[in-house]
Amino acid sequence: MENKRPLLLISNDDGYDAKGIRVLVEMLSDMGDIIVCAPESARSGYSCAFSATEPLRLCLREKHESLEIWSCNGTPVDCVKMALAEIVPRKPDMVIGGINHGDNASVNVHYSGTMGVTLEGCMKYISSVAFSLCDHRADADFSSLRPLVRQITERVLKEPLPHGVCLNVNFPLVDHYQGVRVCRMAKGTWGGEVEKRHHPRGYDYWWMVGYYTNDEPDAEDTDNWALTHGYVAITPTQIDVTAYEAINLVKSWNL
């Protein structure tokens, strides 16, 4: 791999052989050298979890002149940590998560393994972007994402993001995009998340299910509104989660 070309580190939470990550590699193959390090199987919902008690393994799946594809038995964050420690020849110019099968808008950002990838890169002071499509199907059609994925990647390579800031990019499942909205994450909640069932062998068990509710459906400056109305939603996301507006309130407790 050449030092003159940008180095892109790509991971996801759907597994190294998911269509979304394969398509992403193809979309960006001419823009730099690419190293993929992704879970050996699906790890959706792992957020920023990493393996503290399990040994990790790496497996080189493919190697070409400007592309290496590795799998790891750990979480999405494990994949980024392992790649940075053991695989990449130099600090990547970008960390990219995706393309995720399913959206990562609103509070889903806190659960998403794809965003875990992006936040981990951001915490390492590497410009990081997550791409997601509102389509959970394994054979989802990602072709319409190509122009914007390339445009955003090219722009970030030219103008790195501020330290502590990454981008969460969500694409609606529509025939034609109405445009692009730079927006905030919507306030939303998940309900009905635990479903009790009875096994034929006589014991009870529970399944995580649930439904999402947008708690501010009329707010036109949110990612949920943008996606619902056919816009691509770009949400600048930061590592610092301090509630600055509450500092003085807590100080007033005089603890």
Side-chain angles (χ1 to χ4, degrees):
M1 294 188 173
E2 302 177 9
N3 286 328
K4 295 180 180 179
R5 284 163 54 89
L7 178 60
L8 309 179
L9 174 59
I10 295 177
S11 192
N12 70 351
D13 67 359
D14 293 310
Y16 79 95
D17 58 349
K19 183 178 180 181
I21 199 170
R22 293 284 180 165
V23 170
L24 180 61
V25 168
E26 186 277 325
M27 288 179 180
L28 303 179
S29 60
D30 65 327
M31 297 181 67
D33 294 331
I34 295 176
I35 290 178
V36 173
C37 186
E40 61 186 12
S41 59
R43 300 286 192 275
S44 295
Y46 272 66
S47 186
C48 290
F50 64 92
S51 300
T53 60
E54 297 293 329
L56 296 174
R57 300 184 305 275
L58 288 170
C59 178
L60 179 60
R61 302 285 180 166
E62 294 182 31
K63 185 172 183 178
H64 308 282
E65 182 177 353
S66 59
L67 170 66
E68 293 182 12
I69 298 177
W70 296 75
S71 67
C72 175
N73 64 313
T75 70
V77 166
D78 287 334
C79 292
V80 177
K81 290 181 182 293
M82 291 289 286
L84 293 176
E86 299 292 334
I87 300 174
V88 298
R90 62 187 186 277
K91 184 178 181 178
D93 296 278
M94 282 184 69
V95 169
I96 304 176
I99 301 170
N100 190 63
H101 293 249
D103 81 273
N104 281 313
S106 185
V107 293
N108 293 331
V109 69
H110 296 294
Y111 302 113
S112 164
T114 302
M115 281 303 297
V117 165
T118 309
L119 292 167
E120 181 66 22
C122 188
M123 285 189 280
K124 295 293 192 291
Y125 302 116
I126 303 170
S127 291
S128 301
V129 180
F131 295 112
S132 303
L133 173 64
C134 298
D135 189 345
H136 289 276
R137 295 177 298 174
D139 63 345
D141 183 1
F142 297 95
S143 58
S144 63
L145 284 64
R146 183 184 183 94
L148 267 175
V149 166
R150 288 179 58 83
Q151 185 178 350
I152 292 169
T153 302
E154 183 176 23
R155 187 58 180 262
V156 172
L157 285 172
K158 289 181 178 179
E159 299 179 28
L161 296 169
H163 283 175
V165 175
C166 56
L167 298 182
N168 181 19
V169 184
N170 286 277
F171 292 82
L173 184 59
V174 294
D175 294 330
H176 175 73
Y177 300 132
Q178 296 300 312
V180 177
R181 288 284 186 106
V182 179
C183 47
R184 65 178 176 87
M185 61 179 284
K187 296 180 177 67
T189 52
W190 280 88
E193 297 174 272
V194 179
E195 182 176 281
K196 185 177 181 179
R197 301 179 183 180
H198 188 73
H199 197 276
R201 293 186 177 180
Y203 58 86
D204 293 330
Y205 66 100
W206 289 260
W207 199 258
M208 298 300 293
V209 288
Y211 54 87
Y212 171 78
T213 301
N214 180 0
D215 295 332
E216 44 179 355
D218 297 325
E220 298 183 7
D221 61 340
T222 72
D223 50 10
N224 277 167
W225 190 96
L227 294 170
T228 300
H229 290 82
Y231 291 88
V232 178
I234 301 179
T235 305
T237 303
Q238 63 183 13
I239 298 299
D240 184 355
V241 294
T242 305
Y244 290 97
E245 67 279 6
I247 287 178
N248 287 334
L249 169 65
V250 179
K251 283 182 176 179
S252 71
W253 294 355
N254 294 318
L255 299 174

